[in-house]
Amino acid sequence: VWTLDTFGHHLVGVMDEDATLYEWTLSTGTPAATIANAPPDSALVTTQENILMALGADDGTSVNPRYIKWSAIQDNTDWTPTATNQARDAFLQTQGEIMLGKRIPGGVLILTDEGAFVGTYVGPPFVYTFARVGSGCGAASRQCAAVTQNATYWMGRNEFYVFNGFTSVLPCDVHDYVFSDINITQNSKISAVLNSDFNEVWWFYPSGDSLEVNRYVVFNYLENIWYFGNLDRTCGTGSNGVLQYPVMVGTNGLIYDHEVGSAKDDRQPTLRSGPVEIGSGDQVILLSRFIPDERAEGVVEVTFHMRQWPNGAEESSGPYPATSPSDLRLTARQMEIEYIGDAEIDFRIGDFRFDGKPGGKR
């Protein structure tokens, strides 16, 4: 797994199994070369001060998963601490293994497989200090985090997390769908992609017993909503004001432009709500009608999925065309509403209305 960053205008990177830092000087005729004097390490990050940090670096005896070593300012070949440079080192006070680092406003966020730390620039003689900002919030992989203007989001082994001055669990409406069907033996292949044009963070992960990435889950941090689907992408980047479109790489080795056109390869886009209940789910819902929004566009059908108990068998009713009010006779304690669009036509549902009332507690 590669970790990539920029150092000035150059690309720097390291592969954890190789543990060698490389630099590419933007010359298409010259391949990336080993950075002179750089220590073997597992990951890297460039700070706002243009200092290159080697994460999980060689401490002089062996590669230490808790050891950080960094270069002099603007010189990634100078790693020996002196009175006249700012090359230094530090050990994180953790039992975990450093997974990744991200440049954030005011410092660097270091994620281990156990917790989170913030490195803050303080100048000589220590140069950086590191403070723990989270425990039990370890990163699932070396590529599972994305930084927005206001926060850093990452995927852990059983939760999603956010750091925006402090670390907290990110509430996820599709938590059970993701974490109950993920191949944790292939966690190293999880990657996060920031699609800032649409205020989204995408995570790609392998589900079930799949040995390759085959699913995605997306968090829209502006609208605070989640969505998911099936797609085989190993990594990618948003347009970020540089590329014309977001670019992602498939498991087949091909590179794809995204957000281009509206062709969906005959896949029907769907929107499905979470469970709708009355109160705490102890009353039956009697649903008699649904009324489409006058602003609804495209070809949309509506299906209702019902359960009498959270773990009970699911029954479905529909699909109903979303072109005019439809009379219903549906009864359940728990309902989910699914909107299914045409494979090749964009659609908008607007605000649907429903006529219903509580029934008994039977």
Side-chain angles (χ1 to χ4, degrees):
V1 177
W2 283 90
T3 300
L4 303 174
D5 207 338
T6 54
F7 189 81
H9 295 296
H10 295 172
L11 178 70
V12 291
V14 62
M15 186 172 61
D16 54 1
E17 291 189 2
D18 179 62
T20 301
L21 274 72
Y22 294 92
E23 182 174 28
W24 184 57
T25 60
L26 310 186
S27 171
T28 56
T30 306
T34 302
I35 298 176
N37 306 317
D41 74 314
S42 301
L44 58 78
V45 63
T46 302
T47 72
Q48 293 175 336
E49 296 74 33
N50 208 26
I51 288 174
L52 182 58
M53 282 189 172
L55 309 176
D58 191 326
D59 61 9
T61 303
S62 61
V63 172
N64 188 317
R66 292 172 284 279
Y67 181 61
I68 302 175
K69 190 175 180 66
W70 59 89
S71 72
I73 290 180
Q74 298 183 348
D75 187 353
N76 61 17
T77 65
D78 185 2
W79 296 80
T80 302
T82 68
T84 58
N85 71 12
Q86 297 192 36
R88 299 289 188 273
D89 58 8
F91 285 90
L92 285 189
Q93 298 302 310
T94 176
Q95 295 180 344
E97 171 186 352
I98 296 175
M99 299 297 288
L100 63 97
K102 288 292 184 181
R103 189 166 53 254
I104 62 173
V108 290
L109 180 66
I110 308 294
L111 299 180
T112 73
D113 59 2
E114 176 274 334
F117 296 78
V118 166
T120 304
Y121 179 76
V122 296
F126 301 109
V127 185
Y128 288 96
T129 60
F130 296 88
R132 179 183 285 273
V133 293
S135 298
C137 56
S141 73
R142 299 195 185 279
Q143 299 293 338
C144 69
V147 181
T148 71
Q149 289 183 335
N150 301 313
T152 302
Y153 300 92
W154 69 94
M155 187 177 187
R157 293 183 178 274
N158 296 293
E159 299 283 357
F160 292 97
Y161 299 96
V162 57
F163 175 78
N164 52 8
F166 61 94
T167 302
S168 59
V169 173
L170 181 64
C172 177
D173 297 332
V174 295
H175 176 281
D176 292 348
Y177 174 84
V178 175
F179 290 104
S180 66
D181 189 26
I182 187 171
N183 189 348
I184 60 174
T185 66
Q186 300 295 316
N187 268 7
S188 63
K189 297 176 181 177
I190 294 172
S191 66
V193 176
L194 174 64
N195 190 359
S196 57
D197 289 346
F198 295 90
N199 308 299
E200 297 170 340
V201 178
W202 292 58
W203 284 275
F204 295 98
Y205 67 96
S207 68
D209 58 359
S210 175
L211 299 180
E212 298 295 342
V213 171
N214 61 345
R215 280 189 186 169
Y216 67 86
V217 58
V218 181
F219 176 60
N220 186 309
Y221 50 86
L222 183 64
E223 300 182 30
N224 194 32
I225 57 175
W226 292 84
Y227 26 98
F228 56 83
N230 300 320
L231 197 63
D232 53 350
R233 298 291 186 266
T234 61
C235 61
T237 181
S239 61
N240 299 321
V242 178
L243 303 171
Q244 184 176 6
Y245 304 109
V247 171
M248 300 183 193
V249 182
T251 56
N252 56 7
L254 298 179
I255 301 174
Y256 295 86
D257 280 334
H258 282 245
E259 312 294 354
V260 181
S262 59
K264 304 176 182 68
D265 299 329
D266 296 326
R267 299 180 184 181
Q268 288 187 292
T270 64
L271 294 171
R272 181 163 173 166
S273 74
V276 177
E277 300 174 337
I278 294 181
S280 58
D282 57 340
Q283 287 188 297
V284 170
I285 303 171
L286 302 176
L287 194 63
S288 59
R289 178 185 298 177
F290 84 85
I291 306 170
D293 192 307
E294 63 180 5
R295 296 178 300 167
E297 294 180 354
V299 180
V300 185
E301 294 180 329
V302 183
T303 298
F304 297 87
H305 303 281
M306 300 163 288
R307 297 179 190 270
Q308 295 302 325
W309 309 101
N311 295 325
E314 180 180 279
E315 297 180 1
S316 299
S317 179
Y320 301 92
T323 54
S324 59
S326 294
D327 292 328
L328 308 169
R329 295 186 65 182
L330 305 179
T331 303
R333 278 190 169 85
Q334 188 179 88
M335 290 190 183
E336 297 180 12
I337 306 162
E338 183 178 27
Y339 305 95
I340 305 173
D342 186 271
E344 300 301 335
I345 301 175
D346 287 345
F347 67 93
R348 180 175 66 185
I349 63 172
D351 296 323
F352 274 53
R353 289 175 290 168
F354 301 89
D355 286 342
K357 62 181 181 180
K361 296 188 177 182
R362 294 183 292 111

